[in-house]
Amino acid sequence: MAASASCRSPLVWFFSLAAALFFASWYLLLDSAAAPATHRQGGLRSPTPATKCDPDKALLRVYMYDLPPEFHFGLLDWNPATTTTTAPWPDLLTPHDVPNYPGGLNLQHSIEYWLTLDLLASEQGAPTPCTAARVRDPATADVVFVPFFASLSFNRHSKARATEDRALQRRLLDFLAARPEWRRSGGRDHVVLAHHPNGMLHARYRLWPCVFVLCDFGRYPHSVANVDKDVVAPYLHMVDNFFNDTAGYNERPTLLYFQGAIYRKDGGFIRQELYYLLKDEKDVHFSFGSVAGNGIEQSTRGMRASKFCLNIAGDTPSSNRLFDSIVSHCVPVIISDEIELPFEDVLDYSKFCIIVRGADAVKKDFLINLIKGISQEEWTSMWNKLKEVERHFEYQYPSQHDDAVQMIWKTIARKVPSIRLKINRLRRFSRFEANKTNESPARSSWLQSQAR
């Protein structure tokens, strides 16, 4: 018996060791394959190093100015002395070196942050789909990126410190005027981010040749910003994504939902008219609300329990409410005659939105009869489409294929042929450059108008 036990002991030890190694190897394999979380409103995760983007394979080649930190991450209290990079930029491969963007309503206009991070990632080797790649030679670039966090500058410099925002814009104009890249194109290939309606307020009229990335054109004259040359980008939604949404037609008891400011100072009279038309309708929720207190939580619950969500023009033609509706899979009902929708050259909004003219919406019973006339089958088709397209309106780092960041880069890329046409037209008259000092103001003005 003792001899038999001594023979089995090495075998038991061997199989025990083999089993332990087997389970350990599977644990490591599964842990390495786990999908990492992405950053939106919390802390940045540690990115897995990736290969730097090849500009020759990128859809868009971007030359980015190395502006001082006061124009971008310095507004987030980032100190360039802490970085390991040689340029005035955070080291994306060292997550603690990348500052977070402030939360709350500041986030809705944070596109400048996400686009700049993605462009830095293309050069530093952090993860990115490589739709846009940073280049160091401006002669090889399709566009020139101006990394000024204009929305953050406006939000951070309150009315009491508004002169600081104006001073930054003035220094930016001085910087651009001295750059050969600006003089070469007159700014026509420069991309400027001014997503907040009041961002770049003092410099926008000097930057009219640029490609603006905006939320809408409500506070811009057509000569400064328009859909032909500029890019409309989505707001970052304030409510959480509705993951694993199974709340179909019968699980959403509210027919039509709106919660927000009813009385607006600019152009929001339709909200008032609709309030009086709809406030007593059955299964319609139309009430005042704000982000104060638990307003976002209330909106989240309300939208997820509603079939249709009203998106009505207020102080400006657009708001983040549209994108809250999209990620809540509550079919948007858009009433805003002046709105321009993001990525509309590739997305058919009629597949997942109801769009109504303001003059029709305020007719008695028009809107409620329109909504009630949409069948369950048609609504379900739009509901499914919302779940399909919501990824196009998501800002995150690292960026993902066809999310909001990549969709913006692709939209800019589609502007490149038009930009080149404008620059080539400008160069028609390059022979006159040497004689500009003798050129009459009228002649100079005419040349500029021909280049537009």
Side-chain angles (χ1 to χ4, degrees), residues 286-306:
F286 199 121
S287 69
F288 174 83
S290 70
V291 297
N294 63 343
I296 292 179
E297 289 78 5
Q298 288 179 357
S299 292
T300 301
R301 292 193 297 269
M303 288 183 171
R304 293 182 180 184
S306 302

Side-chain angles (χ1 to χ4, degrees), residues 15-29:
F15 284 114
S16 298
L17 178 62
L21 291 173
F22 175 81
F23 287 114
S25 64
W26 268 105
Y27 173 82
L28 292 173
L29 178 62

Side-chain angles (χ1 to χ4, degrees), residues 368-386:
I368 194 68
N369 288 338
L370 174 68
I371 298 302
K372 289 180 177 179
I374 296 173
S375 68
Q376 179 174 345
E377 181 181 8
E378 185 179 359
W379 181 90
T380 302
S381 175
M382 289 188 284
W383 176 64
N384 285 323
K385 189 67 175 178
L386 285 170

Side-chain angles (χ1 to χ4, degrees), residues 249-297:
Y249 190 87
N250 294 321
E251 287 73 41
R252 292 174 177 254
T254 302
L255 176 66
L256 186 61
Y257 181 89
F258 177 86
Q259 183 158 310
I262 296 173
Y263 303 100
R264 307 302 299 175
K265 57 182 180 291
D266 294 321
F269 73 94
I270 289 182
R271 290 192 184 187
Q272 301 172 39
E273 295 291 325
L274 287 175
Y275 172 71
Y276 293 115
L277 287 171
L278 298 173
K279 64 185 180 68
D280 296 324
E281 289 286 344
K282 183 182 178 182
D283 299 332
V284 172
H285 176 96
F286 199 121
S287 69
F288 174 83
S290 70
V291 297
N294 63 343
I296 292 179
E297 289 78 5

